[in-house]
Amino acid sequence: IPLLCRALATSKRPLLLFASPWTAPAWMRSNGDVRGKGTLKGHAGDKYHKTWANYFIKFLDEYAKRNVTFWAVTAQNEPLAGLLTPPQAPTIAFTAAQQRDFIAQDLGPALARSPHRTQLLMLDDQRIHLPHWAKVVLGNATAARYVAGLAVHWYLDAIVPPGCSLEATHKLFPDHFLLYTEACTGFFTFR
């Protein structure tokens, strides 16, 4: 928070911050641990999903008390990586349908009721999952009204051409922006 405050104070223009969660607390997860393969317990609309959505609001509340506001949040960082993750990695696995339902029933309404004008981004995973993921989530009118855009990562970009993923998704859902939210070099150890 002190670093963010310094960056915000020294910037000549507004900084648009976004946040993306890694995992819920262990007591809310199917495997009882913040690490490894696991989902949120239960299903969308239940006490676990509503509580997890409220964690987002509490996070935004606490940062706002320190004059740090967020332009956007993502529903989950790399939700499909949760199915493949190494045992020590903290993550929550979501399918597109699970993320759709969480957004429609829990996270979207919680953000809409909150005093925060924070936008919601969906997917936040490899673009190889497009346009399928967008069709599932944005194809639902309730979920789509809460989602401002799609967050994508670049790690598997060589597998699928941008025309088949990004362009196809944009043509289907032109009112939702596409934003790369994570990228780095050196993630393949053989390079």
Side-chain angles (χ1 to χ4, degrees):
I1 292 173
L3 289 175
L4 284 173
C5 289
R6 285 175 52 200
L8 291 165
T10 58
S11 178
K12 294 188 185 333
R13 60 179 184 236
L15 297 179
L16 300 177
L17 304 175
F18 79 93
S20 186
W22 280 80
T23 186
W27 67 269
M28 297 174 72
R29 290 175 36 101
S30 61
N31 67 347
D33 194 335
V34 296
R35 298 163 298 177
K37 295 178 178 84
T39 62
L40 282 178
K41 289 180 182 176
H43 57 276
D46 71 10
K47 66 180 182 177
Y48 297 104
H49 287 71
K50 297 240 178 275
T51 301
W52 182 229
N54 287 330
Y55 265 68
F56 283 75
I57 307 309
K58 293 290 185 185
F59 168 85
L60 295 170
D61 290 346
E62 292 303 314
Y63 273 79
K65 288 178 187 176
R66 290 152 181 86
N67 297 316
V68 177
T69 58
F70 288 84
W71 163 73
V73 293
T74 74
Q76 175 61 40
N77 181 60
E78 295 190 352
L80 287 175
L83 302 172
L84 311 168
T85 189
Q88 297 304 312
T91 187
I92 299 174
F94 276 100
T95 64
Q98 289 168 325
Q99 189 172 85
R100 173 200 63 212
D101 296 345
F102 175 57
I103 288 170
Q105 296 179 42
D106 305 298
L107 184 55
L111 281 169
R113 285 189 308 268
S114 81
H116 308 286
R117 296 302 97 209
T118 305
Q119 296 188 64
L120 179 58
L121 308 181
M122 58 164 277
L123 184 56
D124 206 17
D125 209 331
Q126 311 308 315
R127 81 172 191 212
I128 194 170
H129 305 303
L130 295 175
H132 167 73
W133 199 281
K135 288 177 183 178
V136 172
V137 178
L138 299 178
N140 177 284
T142 303
R145 79 168 180 242
Y146 294 119
V147 175
L150 293 85
V152 292
H153 299 178
W154 80 339
Y155 307 108
L156 302 177
D157 278 4
I159 295 173
V160 64
C164 298
S165 55
L166 300 176
E167 186 177 349
T169 302
H170 176 68
K171 285 181 179 177
L172 290 168
F173 304 101
D175 294 333
H176 292 82
F177 62 82
L178 294 152
L179 177 70
Y180 272 93
T181 54
E182 184 180 319
C184 71
T185 58
F187 64 94
F188 284 130
T189 57
F190 57 84
R191 288 189 180 170

